[in-house]
Amino acid sequence: MKILAIDIGAGTEDILLYDKSKTIENCIKMVLPCPSLVFSSKVRRITQLGKDILIEGEIIGGGAFSSALKAHLARGYRVLMSRETAYTIRNDLEEVRQLGIEIFDEESEPIHFSGETLKINEVNIQELRRFFTNFGEEFSDVEVVSIAVQDHGIPPKGLSNRKFRFEEIRKVLKRDRKLENLAFIEDETPSYFLRMRSAVKSAKRQLPEAKVVVMDTCPAAILGCLEDPLVKAVDPVLAINVGNAHTMATIVSRGKVEGIMEHHTRLLNPAKIERFLKDFANGKLTDDKIFIDGGHGLFLLSDPPKFSEIGIVAATGPNRKLLSKTKLKVHYANPAGDVMMTGPVGLIEAVKKKLRIKGK
């Protein structure tokens, strides 16, 4: 069997085509620019041409793409987006309109538009199929497509999306403290996670026979960290994903989550992250302190071990070198021998555990 794992971050899209008949070192892997970067460059080209832009397609990660559209608006050009794609910018469409973006319904494209049309998509299975086929790799036996994207969800009015995202993670893990429970199989994906549901729909359209599993990027990376051979041999573990947007730290003991802390990477420096991690493991850090500092929060599901009792501090993510400037002894996780495959390996483990697939 084959599992196509696609981890879509704010900088790269990391891909692993897992084939059960091969050692993981012999499986195909790729690191590409993420869709947000690819489409942001197309927006900048249209800006240089001095044309208005109409965008339709699917929900993708905002990031660089959103910044490019704001720069386009600042130059005095129009931006029109279909209702679905507008959720790329913000999960509140009124906030999207306030930026100056015009939103139209997919059933009736706007009149009086002359400019460039851009169709955006995040899950590029057809392009991958064409590329892999050139190297003799078939997709007919891909049984599962597993995709990681970051999704804040749509919170109730008046509730911070930071609070909402983090509370939903806590609710899931409170019922069962295994990280794979943060992965969703197709229709079980909550309705408020629009980007995840868009990824499911896109994957099913392109590879209808395959089952689709989606997961948030941070937990996927943490799960991948735990598959590093050195990390697997130690307990308890403090695993940290220092991403481009978010930093998530998780205490795991005997395969179960004891607590999670999530912050925004841009707000952290070496001294602060070292202090937060130690206080987190010592049970001295509060949810309010992280939230007031601009992060998402913190929760504990059991009494944490003291920091001195942590067996290993394992780190991954594109900004993991932030930890090299601390006094912490850190192991940089590299499951499958490649730090860039931490997310895809985590996705594959989530699939195996969710779908009860035996063997390696």
Side-chain angles (χ1 to χ4, degrees):
M1 72 164 298
K2 292 178 183 175
I3 302 170
L4 177 62
I6 306 173
D7 178 24
I8 304 172
T12 64
E13 174 181 354
D14 308 325
I15 300 160
L16 177 59
L17 182 60
Y18 170 79
D19 187 335
K20 190 177 178 181
S21 68
K22 301 176 182 177
T23 62
I24 199 162
E25 289 81 3
N26 285 321
C27 294
I28 295 176
K29 58 185 178 182
M30 302 172 67
V31 177
L32 303 173
C34 71
S36 180
L37 287 175
V38 172
F39 288 113
S40 68
S41 66
K42 294 183 179 183
V43 170
R44 287 194 296 272
R45 180 187 63 81
I46 296 170
T47 304
Q48 290 171 353
L49 293 173
K51 296 184 177 182
D52 296 332
I53 183 170
L54 184 149
I55 301 164
E56 53 190 5
E58 302 166 2
I59 301 170
I60 72 169
F65 182 65
S66 295
S67 297
L69 290 179
K70 290 174 185 176
H72 190 80
L73 288 165
R75 293 280 297 274
Y77 305 120
R78 294 172 70 195
V79 174
L80 296 84
M81 300 185 77
S82 69
R83 179 172 294 273
E84 180 172 357
T85 58
Y87 284 108
T88 292
I89 310 303
R90 300 286 291 180
N91 280 340
D92 185 329
L93 294 187
E94 187 53 41
E95 292 182 13
V96 178
R97 292 188 180 94
Q98 289 172 4
L99 293 172
I101 295 173
E102 303 168 47
I103 300 174
F104 63 92
D105 290 324
E106 285 81 354
E107 297 79 17
S108 54
E109 291 195 6
I111 57 175
H112 307 306
F113 171 78
S114 60
E116 294 278 322
T117 297
L118 182 62
K119 188 160 187 176
I120 63 174
N121 68 300
E122 189 158 64
V123 182
N124 50 358
I125 294 175
Q126 295 297 4
E127 287 89 343
L128 293 176
R129 183 202 289 266
R130 284 191 288 270
F131 181 82
F132 285 10
T133 299
N134 288 333
F135 292 88
E137 195 71 45
E138 293 297 326
F139 264 48
S140 58
D141 52 351
V142 171
E143 294 184 29
V144 186
V145 177
S146 189
I147 305 163
V149 297
Q150 189 174 92
D151 197 332
H152 283 74
I154 299 183
K157 283 289 185 183
L159 180 64
S160 161
N161 66 4
R162 288 185 287 144
K163 284 276 189 187
F164 180 71
R165 165 188 160 84
F166 205 60
E167 178 60 18
E168 292 306 312
I169 291 173
R170 188 193 69 81
K171 285 180 183 177
V172 171
L173 292 176
K174 189 176 180 181
R175 292 192 294 267
D176 188 334
R177 294 193 284 133
K178 295 177 181 177
L179 276 167
E180 62 265 24
N181 291 311
L182 294 172
F184 304 104
I185 303 171
E186 296 185 3
D187 291 342
E188 74 177 36
T189 308
S191 59
Y192 44 77
F193 285 141
L194 294 184
R195 188 180 173 195
M196 286 189 187
R197 289 182 70 87
S198 177
V200 170
K201 185 167 77 172
S202 180
K204 290 299 288 185
R205 186 182 67 251
Q206 297 175 72
L207 210 59
E209 300 304 317
K211 194 173 289 292
V212 181
V213 176
V214 288
M215 192 174 190
D216 194 279
T217 52
C218 284
I222 297 294
L223 195 51
C225 262
L226 300 179
E227 289 303 305
D228 178 285
L230 190 59
V231 178
K232 289 183 81 168
V234 183
D235 193 78
V237 175
L238 175 56
I240 309 146
N241 177 50
V242 192
N244 285 312
H246 288 197
T247 290
M248 178 178 280
T250 305
I251 300 170
V252 181
S253 181
R254 298 178 182 178
K256 293 186 177 181
V257 173
E258 297 200 342
I260 291 182
M261 176 187 74
E262 186 172 36
H263 211 307
H264 288 112
T265 305
R266 72 180 188 279
L267 299 177
L268 297 172
N269 58 46
K272 182 189 286 189
I273 195 171
E274 180 175 352
R275 183 174 69 253
F276 279 173
L277 290 173
K278 287 181 176 179
D279 287 349
F280 172 44
N282 286 327
K284 295 181 178 179
L285 192 60
T286 65
D287 176 64
D288 283 346
K289 185 166 185 178
I290 296 297
F291 186 76
I292 291 170
D293 194 54
H296 281 253
L298 172 154
F299 62 79
L300 295 170
L301 299 172
S302 62
D303 292 335
K306 295 185 187 305
F307 185 80
S308 60
E309 296 175 4
I310 292 290
I312 192 169
V313 178
T316 188
N319 288 293
R320 62 194 179 279
K321 286 189 177 179
L322 179 67
L323 293 164
S324 69
K325 299 174 183 177
T326 69
K327 296 178 182 178
L328 301 174
K329 184 179 180 181
V330 179
H331 169 67
Y332 296 112
N334 58 343
D338 188 342
V339 70
M340 294 303 293
M341 290 296 110
T342 308
V345 168
L347 286 171
I348 290 163
E349 286 305 306
V351 168
K352 289 179 179 179
K353 291 171 179 175
K354 290 283 285 190
L355 302 181
R356 295 180 173 85
I357 298 171
K358 295 182 180 180
K360 294 295 179 182

